[in-house]
Amino acid sequence: MPAATPPTPVTGWGRTAPTAARLVRPRTYEEAVAAVLAGGTRGSIARGLGRAYGDAAQNAGGAVLDMTGLDRIRTIDAEAGVVVCEAGVSLHRLMEVLLPLGWFVPVTPGTRYVTVGGAIGADIHGKNHHGSGAFSRHVRALDLLTADGEVRTLKPTDELFRATAGGMGLTGVILSAELQLHPVQTSLMSVDTERAADLDDLMARLSATDHRYRYSVAWIDLLARGARTGRAVLTRGDHAPLDALPPRARRTPLRFNAPHLPPMPRHLPERLLTRTSVSAFNELWYRTSPKLRTAELQPIPKFFHPLDGVPHWNRIYGRGGFVQYQFVVGHGQEEALRRVVRRIAHRGCPSFLAVLKRFGEADPGWLSFPLPGWTLALDIPAGLPGLGGFLDELDEEVAGAGGRVYLAKDARVRPEVLEGMYPRLPDFRALRRTLDPEGVFTSDLSRRLNL
């Protein structure tokens, strides 16, 4: 068994509510089994690259398994587009290896620095959910280490697979997965950009034309009010075909280049992001974005992961950190979305990272987040006065509309509100009681929400 560190503070990407845990970094299946069986009374939880925003990969007083040591790509079927890899492999690494072969990961969130295990555990979604669903839809099989020390191979038809997809690591430790990839001819994106005057204009454009694009997302100005409420910049695209590239670029059409800027300073002023500064940024961003531009060629990092080019960008919120609030409401609940956007604008939440997307069909995972409808995500400085009570009110609005919040982003939702958001939660709890009666797998998130 690998040596554990002394208790070390662990936090999510939002840098709020750190708790201390013993970090263990297994490098083999055998070491992972030994670490789980020796987890102690406070149990264990797996952790990837730490991009869950809240407390899902924390375990106060217990063990946290750093899975980045299991990072081998085992096999690649370059004809069928299938890869088998260990759970600690990052999506960044998969892109480096697979793009030159003409394959792309089936789903990527706003960062490529997430592990395959984390992608399954959170059942991540991306700009293509309206057509491709969440990450677990593209997993052909996975190996799961359960509380009894057994390694089970699961298929999508298995009940335990559906509990694991979106299960936030609470059914066991994902050790490896077999993924179906997406074929591409180039490593560039063909991108259309346009401005929407307000929220209704934005929703109308998305509803009418989203089916034409594989990927779609809108940056939304949540400080704009009045007739401009919900104004947005809509960005949509697809993988560029070879014949869309200029002659010089066709020499290396599958080249993957991901440049980085210098890292964000460790300490920044606490009040850097105020309503005034963010409002000025939002105004500039909206005004300088094209009213309409089509077929622009963009590298994959620029289109999918612009913030990955700034290491430790989460430091911009200062020592107090930030909360990312993401919710979804279904089609037919557009008025609820309008009310939430108006309330956020009226409250003056200084959020410059706010995006709206349309989701397609719900995914099979019992605790998977997406529903057919509209999802809004925004970052808010954690120290904003009265933030907790304000977000509690938004939770009530979302729950009343039949919506839900995303557990991979959550750091503060109340357990009684969560009950009505996830109808398969009783089944999930019952399976955990049967599979893991001693609570071997536990986290700060699971204790807070009684998962």
Side-chain angles (χ1 to χ4, degrees):
M1 174 179 163
T5 66
T8 303
V10 179
T11 187
W13 190 245
R15 304 174 74 204
T16 59
T19 56
R22 294 176 291 106
L23 298 181
V24 186
R25 193 168 188 258
R27 294 181 178 275
T28 64
Y29 275 27
E30 292 75 18
E31 289 184 353
V33 171
V36 166
L37 294 179
T41 57
R42 296 287 285 181
S44 304
I45 194 69
R47 180 181 178 90
L49 288 166
R51 292 304 179 105
Y53 284 75
D55 53 3
Q58 300 174 207
N59 184 21
V64 170
L65 275 60
D66 176 356
M67 298 301 294
T68 58
L70 280 96
D71 61 352
R72 288 166 284 271
I73 296 176
R74 292 182 177 172
T75 64
I76 300 171
D77 184 337
E79 293 295 323
V82 175
V83 62
V84 177
C85 62
E86 292 179 337
V89 175
S90 70
L91 299 192
H92 174 83
R93 180 59 181 154
L94 288 181
M95 291 177 198
E96 286 184 322
V97 172
L98 297 171
L99 266 170
L101 303 176
W103 297 99
F104 190 64
V105 294
V107 171
T108 177
T111 175
R112 60 187 178 276
Y113 294 109
V114 296
T115 62
V116 168
I120 298 170
D123 206 9
I124 60 170
H125 55 271
K127 297 176 175 69
N128 60 339
H129 189 277
H130 60 283
S132 301
F135 195 87
S136 66
R137 286 189 182 272
H138 309 273
V139 178
R140 294 160 51 117
L142 63 86
D143 282 351
L144 183 73
L145 167 60
T146 50
D148 55 6
E150 181 182 347
V151 177
R152 310 182 188 207
T153 298
L154 306 178
K155 300 287 188 181
T157 53
D158 296 330
E159 186 177 70
L160 184 51
F161 182 103
R162 296 192 293 273
T164 299
M168 307 310 297
L170 297 173
T171 60
V173 179
I174 299 167
L175 297 173
S176 66
E178 180 180 337
L179 310 177
Q180 180 65 60
L181 306 167
H182 176 68
V184 295
Q185 295 181 12
T186 76
S187 60
L188 292 174
M189 306 297 297
S190 178
V191 181
D192 293 353
T193 305
E194 58 189 291
R195 292 197 314 220
D198 56 34
L199 182 59
D200 286 342
D201 182 28
L202 172 61
M203 289 193 291
R205 292 172 189 250
L206 286 167
S207 297
T209 58
D210 244 13
H211 63 280
R212 302 176 189 170
Y213 298 90
R214 176 173 291 274
Y215 303 102
S216 178
V217 68
W219 169 88
I220 183 169
D221 182 359
L222 291 178
L223 286 175
R225 298 170 67 174
R228 304 180 305 159
T229 299
R231 67 178 180 176
V233 178
L234 179 55
T235 308
R236 295 179 287 186
D238 206 336
H239 298 276
L242 185 61
D243 59 13
L245 271 57
R248 186 173 181 178
R250 293 182 198 177
R251 300 174 190 170
T252 55
L254 292 166
R255 180 172 177 264
F256 179 58
N257 183 30
H260 282 85
L261 296 173
M264 193 68 67
R266 186 171 295 276
H267 301 300
L268 288 165
E270 291 296 310
R271 298 293 294 164
L272 181 64
L273 297 180
T274 64
R275 177 173 179 172
T276 300
S277 64
V278 174
S279 181
F281 171 86
N282 287 1
E283 182 71 26
L284 179 65
W285 187 261
Y286 182 80
R287 293 296 177 188
T288 57
S289 296
K291 291 183 179 179
L292 178 63
R293 182 171 60 201
T294 61
E296 179 192 10
L297 293 177
Q298 291 184 7
I300 279 171
K302 180 179 180 180
F303 181 75
F304 288 107
H305 319 114
L307 287 175
D308 280 349
V310 185
H312 305 294
W313 64 263
N314 56 342
R315 293 175 182 170
I316 196 173
Y317 293 91
R319 290 186 179 90
F322 69 100
V323 172
Q324 178 157 115
Y325 186 69
Q326 183 168 8
F327 68 91
V328 58
V329 292
H331 293 303
Q333 295 295 334
E334 285 76 12
E335 188 53 42
L337 175 62
R338 293 185 187 99
R339 287 195 298 268
V340 171
V341 169
R342 286 195 296 264
R343 293 179 71 167
I344 293 170
H346 181 75
R347 179 67 171 74
C349 294
S351 178
F352 72 97
L353 292 175
V355 296
L356 182 76
K357 295 192 292 281
R358 285 178 73 245
F359 278 159
E361 294 182 7
D363 299 286
W366 289 358
L367 298 188
S368 292
F369 169 64
L371 294 171
W374 306 92
T375 180
L376 177 66
L378 61 148
D379 290 352
I380 314 171
L384 193 69
L387 179 61
F390 176 67
L391 293 181
D392 285 346
E393 293 173 4
L394 296 190
D395 287 342
E396 297 286 353
E397 183 86 57
V398 169
R404 59 180 58 149
V405 297
Y406 190 16
L407 292 177
K409 305 287 182 70
D410 178 60
R412 31 69 46 203
V413 71
R414 290 173 292 141
E416 62 270 22
V417 178
L418 188 78
E419 297 287 334
M421 293 181 170
Y422 287 89
R424 297 300 301 269
L425 186 55
D427 298 324
F428 182 80
R429 287 171 172 155
L431 182 143
R432 284 198 69 211
R433 285 193 297 269
T434 300
L435 189 68
D436 183 10
E438 302 299 322
V440 170
F441 297 112
T442 189
S443 65
D444 291 355
L445 175 79
S446 71
R447 280 188 286 265
R448 175 169 59 85
L449 296 176
N450 188 30
L451 298 178

